[in-house]
Amino acid sequence: MGQKRRIVVCAGAGCFSCNSAETLSTLQRLVKERGVETQVDIVPAGCMGACQRGPLVQLPNDDILLQGVGPQEAAAVLDQVLGGPAAPAELKLYSAREPDAPDAHFFQKQQKIVLENCGRINPESLDEYIAVGGYQALHRMLSEMTREAVVAEIKKSGLRGRGGAGYPTGLKWETVAKMVNEQKYVICNADEGDPGAFMDRSVLEGDPHRVLEGMAIAGYAVGANKGFVYVRAEYPLAIKRLELAIKGARREGLLGREIFRTSFSFDVEIRIGAGAFVCGEETALIASIEGRRGQPRPRPPYPAESGLWGKPTLINNVETFANIAPILTKGGEWFSAIGTPKNAGTKVFALAGKIRNTGLIEVPMGITLREIIFDIGGGIPGGRRFKAVQTGGPSGGCIPEAHLDTHVDYESLQTLGSIMGSGGFIVMDDTSCMVDVARFFMEFCMDESCGKCVPCRVGTKHMHDLLAKICAGHATMGDLALLEELAPMVKATSLCGLGMTAPNPLISTLRYFRDEYAAHIRDRRCPAGVCSMDAVEALR
Amino acid sequence: MSAPLTFDDPRVKRVTREMKLYDRRPDALIQILHIVQEIFGYLPEMVLRLVAKELRVPASRVYGVSTFYHYFSLKARGDHQCLVCMGTACYVKGAGKILDQLQKAFGVRPGEVTPDGKLGLAQARCLGACGLAPAVVYDEEILARVDPAKIAATVQEKLRGS
């Protein structure tokens, strides 16, 4: 008898709602009934990526990934692992031994750093995280490295903030580290307000200790002894697993006082957000942690100088923190060799919309949009035509077919009038109306504007009304001219990132799909058939 | 209507206990409001006044915070809650139509409750379950890849079944 064989069942939010819990319990029951507990382990794990095919089950040695495994299929899966006949062929999604299978591209073009443990280890077990090398980076750092050396390593890696803006992480750490103050804080931004993005959720659900380890390393590097995770209330499973992870780490002395018997102490608390997109803005997030309305304030001073309760504060996003431990383990040079020279490492994207393979992917920076959408995503279903891909959420833009060969990095996306954002990737086919999409995002920004500054509060409302007028078929070319005047003005004069980026979807759709706007205004016709102008006409 | 809340109500006592756990720190306001909403399903005015007093923050600030964040509600929720995800992925797959259908079938707008108090309709920014788009959450259950033409009937059936 060799090693115990592991059957890993996806317990990420996507598979959970396809009832993977029942698959898990059925497998566990069968193992007991057949008395094979010594041979097989049934393990729940975080997101495996291919969310649309759930519930997903991974067979031993990561060789084979099965899709759509309900409780009825459990017996056949167990048979196969125990050396019996193979499970029905339609269950098989991917096998490492068959590189030519149609779905193989989904896995081959990916490179996993942030998600390397997601879908492999039980996120509720500290032991499993330690078994795959967890907390070793923290230990090595505390015993061998100075604070300066840690910051230098992060700088060398070329890691840039994965929250969206792409500010160099090492530089941010250095600024906070240089501040002289007896009290500093580390904040993990897990609010993830972008609709259409679920990377942070999946990392927290699938590998919470990785984030905590990254935060503790940051705490040591910048000289902070207290961390906060600001997480969305809409993510109850992530909150639960994070709470468990914090408790487990505290119990084993990996968080709390005198970690690894050194003089370094670091503890983490959870703060639950309450639904405000503007809290992605760091000064607004800080106000929310302090128990106030999440309204931003002008910068400088930056949080690095004066943040939470006026103390120097480091704020990074979940994915940024998840990159830290591997960088320290394998070195900054290893990391900087992945991706492109100015955009090191990988990026996790949430693929959704009109695309065959929806789910979570991690790819090296510099991959093209076409590779993501057609090789990994499998293209557009239903024989439809690709129209645009929306990146970066409400602050991003829509990229048309002509630019599909663009390399994905912070600068290229910006040149196209979009942004990386936190990593939402929504594909649209010819049934989507781009004017309606712009209106949808403007409505979102209007609702989410905190109301503090006039350009954003009034500007988004005004732009939304104009867009709604176009969708309803009541607009004139004068309205379009007004929109084109308003958009850059709101961009230039708003106080924070929300207002500064709110016009982006409008500007980018105007740039690439101007004929659709013209069709709505001149011909009172929606080419995609989304806007129902007649109905509105009748109401007047 | 149910009887007005009093300080003897065990739920009110629980809120008081939770505030003690946070040392009645003013910065715990949002966390306390989460607890109140979890216990009552919404934020009753009487409890908000109590929270203001205990945490020593002005009632105006408690009101300001309660209304600023979308997650908090000052109105009682229905016995059952139907939450339509309006995230981008769900939207491009027809979430707008789903919302329309539900509004028509039950005669309520998002954020409202049916006159009999049975069903509350609400919209979410994004559930982060974009692989299941369009998604609707009925109470705790996620309904994945919802068909706009069938959603009203599905919810009707669930209401009758409960």
Side-chain angles (χ1 to χ4, degrees):
Chain A
M1 237 5 261
Q3 245 186 333
K4 243 178 152 182
R5 278 169 278 188
R6 283 161 68 91
I7 301 181
V8 185
V9 181
C10 183
C15 285
F16 229 54
S17 38
C18 307
N19 224 347
S20 71
E22 213 175 312
T23 305
L24 181 74
S25 60
T26 311
L27 276 168
Q28 281 165 338
R29 199 192 69 228
L30 286 173
V31 165
K32 240 183 229 156
E33 278 174 11
R34 297 189 189 176
V36 288
E37 288 109 317
T38 51
Q39 297 169 44
V40 184
D41 255 340
I42 310 291
V43 184
C47 183
M48 295 179 183
C51 301
Q52 206 169 21
R53 313 293 187 93
L56 299 171
V57 169
Q58 187 137 45
L59 299 188
N61 311 325
D62 302 337
D63 255 337
I64 296 168
L65 189 63
L66 302 180
Q67 59 182 337
V69 183
Q72 301 87 345
E73 286 84 23
V77 170
L78 189 59
D79 282 342
Q80 174 171 350
V81 171
L82 290 171
E90 66 266 22
L91 289 184
K92 188 150 77 185
L93 178 60
Y94 173 67
S95 161
R97 278 170 285 189
E98 292 166 45
D100 299 328
D103 282 315
H105 285 302
F106 182 81
F107 301 90
Q108 280 167 355
K109 294 223 165 180
Q110 295 197 49
Q111 181 174 2
K112 298 203 170 179
I113 297 173
V114 169
L115 299 176
E116 64 185 345
N117 299 328
C118 256
R120 285 168 201 274
I121 63 167
N122 180 353
E124 300 190 0
S125 159
L126 175 57
D127 289 345
E128 291 206 6
Y129 181 64
I130 290 173
V132 293
Y135 289 108
Q136 269 176 23
L138 181 65
H139 180 256
R140 196 175 69 90
M141 175 195 74
L142 286 176
S143 50
E144 293 171 15
M145 292 170 86
T146 62
R147 284 171 48 186
E148 292 74 23
V150 178
V151 173
E153 202 65 43
I154 300 297
K155 276 176 91 172
K156 205 196 292 171
S157 74
L159 175 66
R160 298 170 64 171
R162 297 293 192 244
Y167 189 78
T169 306
L171 223 55
K172 206 179 205 177
W173 286 29
E174 192 175 50
T175 313
V176 182
K178 279 188 178 154
M179 297 301 294
V180 182
N181 202 310
E182 73 290 354
Q183 180 67 63
K184 298 180 192 177
Y185 296 104
V186 170
I187 296 177
C188 173
N189 179 358
D191 194 44
E192 195 168 62
D194 288 31
F198 52 97
M199 299 78 47
D200 294 350
R201 167 190 193 140
S202 302
V203 172
L204 286 174
E205 283 176 1
D207 200 4
H209 283 290
R210 173 64 89 75
V211 180
L212 294 178
E213 186 176 3
M215 287 179 75
I217 291 170
Y220 175 75
V222 304
N225 60 11
K226 178 95 198 176
F228 291 93
V229 185
Y230 187 84
V231 53
R232 280 182 75 168
E234 287 91 337
Y235 290 174
L237 191 62
I239 295 170
K240 185 189 137 209
R241 290 194 178 146
L242 197 60
E243 273 171 353
L244 266 173
I246 292 174
K247 269 186 205 151
R250 274 192 199 138
R251 198 169 45 234
E252 299 297 327
L254 299 163
L255 280 180
R257 296 180 65 81
E258 296 173 355
I259 296 169
F260 289 121
R261 296 200 188 85
T262 62
S263 59
F264 175 61
S265 299
F266 188 78
D267 205 0
V268 174
E269 259 184 64
I270 297 179
R271 284 284 181 275
I272 298 169
F277 180 61
V278 69
C279 286
E281 189 69 24
E282 47 190 19
T283 53
L285 189 151
I286 286 171
S288 185
I289 292 186
E290 291 172 354
R292 296 185 286 124
R293 295 161 63 116
Q295 289 185 312
R297 59 159 178 79
R299 299 177 301 180
Y302 286 89
E305 300 155 32
S306 171
L308 195 57
W309 292 296
K311 308 292 182 194
T313 303
L314 174 78
I315 303 189
N316 277 141
N317 154 275
V318 171
E319 197 185 328
T320 314
F321 281 123
N323 270 305
I324 300 301
I327 289 176
L328 280 193
T329 307
K330 296 179 186 163
E333 260 161 43
W334 160 80
F335 191 82
S336 67
I338 301 165
T340 66
K342 283 170 91 182
N343 290 263
T346 58
K347 177 80 193 82
V348 182
F349 288 106
L351 272 188
K354 301 284 178 62
I355 188 158
R356 195 163 279 131
N357 303 327
T358 56
L360 205 66
I361 60 162
E362 183 172 355
V363 290
M365 290 274 195
I367 191 170
T368 66
L369 290 167
R370 193 184 296 278
E371 284 175 280
I372 293 181
I373 294 164
F374 289 93
D375 293 345
I376 298 175
I380 318 298
R384 289 275 167 188
R385 221 183 129 74
F386 170 85
K387 186 168 190 178
V389 55
Q390 210 279 342
T391 72
S395 332
C398 297
I399 301 170
E401 195 174 2
H403 295 286
L404 272 182
D405 290 310
T406 305
H407 295 279
V408 175
D409 59 53
Y410 291 97
E411 285 76 22
S412 311
L413 290 183
Q414 218 148 24
T415 317
L416 294 181
S418 189
I419 54 165
M420 180 81 76
S422 53
F425 221 87
I426 306 217
V427 178
M428 290 176 244
D429 64 9
D430 51 5
T431 59
S432 295
C433 166
M434 302 318 283
V435 187
D436 182 60
V437 165
R439 188 203 57 76
F440 168 77
F441 283 116
M442 199 55 79
E443 185 179 8
F444 181 89
C445 290
M446 176 182 79
D447 283 345
E448 294 293 336
S449 172
C450 81
K452 184 167 176 169
C453 74
V454 179
C456 177
R457 183 180 67 232
V458 182
T460 51
K461 161 88 175 131
H462 205 58
M463 286 190 286
H464 171 262
D465 290 353
L466 286 169
L467 284 166
K469 208 168 154 190
I470 297 177
C471 288
H474 301 161
T476 61
M477 287 317 262
D479 291 322
L480 191 60
L482 190 55
L483 265 179
E484 287 185 302
E485 194 183 331
L486 262 170
M489 212 188 307
V490 172
K491 228 172 143 65
T493 53
S494 288
L495 170 63
C496 82
L498 197 157
M500 284 184 232
T501 57
N504 281 355
L506 166 65
I507 294 172
S508 74
T509 48
L510 258 177
R511 180 161 152 196
Y512 299 118
F513 301 96
R514 203 184 176 83
D515 51 330
E516 281 195 40
Y517 281 85
H520 280 73
I521 296 170
R522 287 219 186 94
D523 317 335
R524 310 209 176 280
R525 188 176 65 83
C526 175
V530 174
C531 306
S532 48
M533 303 193 179
D534 292 337
V536 180
E537 204 75 29
L539 277 178
R540 274 211 298 180
Chain B
M1 275 312 278
S2 51
L5 281 171
T6 64
F7 286 103
D8 301 331
D9 191 300
R11 294 175 298 176
V12 176
K13 281 186 174 162
R14 209 181 124 198
V15 174
T16 314
R17 238 185 356 256
E18 293 280 357
M19 283 193 279
K20 275 188 194 145
L21 286 180
Y22 277 95
D23 290 331
R24 299 197 180 88
R25 289 204 324 260
D27 61 86
L29 175 59
I30 294 173
Q31 306 309 305
I32 299 294
L33 293 180
H34 272 297
I35 291 163
V36 173
Q37 179 144 314
E38 191 192 310
I39 294 174
F40 293 94
Y42 73 110
L43 305 177
E45 189 189 321
M46 175 264 181
V47 184
L48 289 186
R49 287 185 187 284
L50 175 76
V51 168
K53 197 169 145 247
E54 291 279 315
L55 300 184
R56 294 180 302 277
V57 293
S60 60
R61 194 176 128 195
V62 176
Y63 181 76
V65 168
S66 310
T67 51
F68 183 81
Y69 294 99
H70 301 291
Y71 198 76
F72 297 134
S73 165
L74 294 174
K75 280 185 267 176
R77 300 242 166 118
D79 299 341
H80 299 278
Q81 186 78 2
C82 194
L83 186 68
V84 181
C85 181
M86 288 293 275
T88 319
C90 290
Y91 186 74
V92 301
K93 287 194 166 178
K97 283 183 202 131
I98 293 174
L99 202 61
D100 283 349
Q101 290 298 325
L102 288 170
Q103 289 193 50
K104 253 186 241 155
F106 295 95
V108 283
R109 289 200 301 200
E112 289 179 352
V113 179
T114 50
D116 60 4
K118 282 248 168 73
L119 183 75
L121 183 64
Q123 46 182 334
R125 296 182 301 164
C126 178
L127 298 168
C130 310
L132 311 173
V136 170
V137 181
Y138 181 83
D139 289 341
E140 301 279 285
E141 181 189 354
I142 298 188
L143 312 175
R145 294 176 207 110
V146 170
D147 180 350
K150 292 184 189 148
I151 182 67
T154 311
V155 173
Q156 256 335 337
E157 211 169 284
K158 286 185 181 292
L159 274 177
R160 267 198 298 272
S162 59

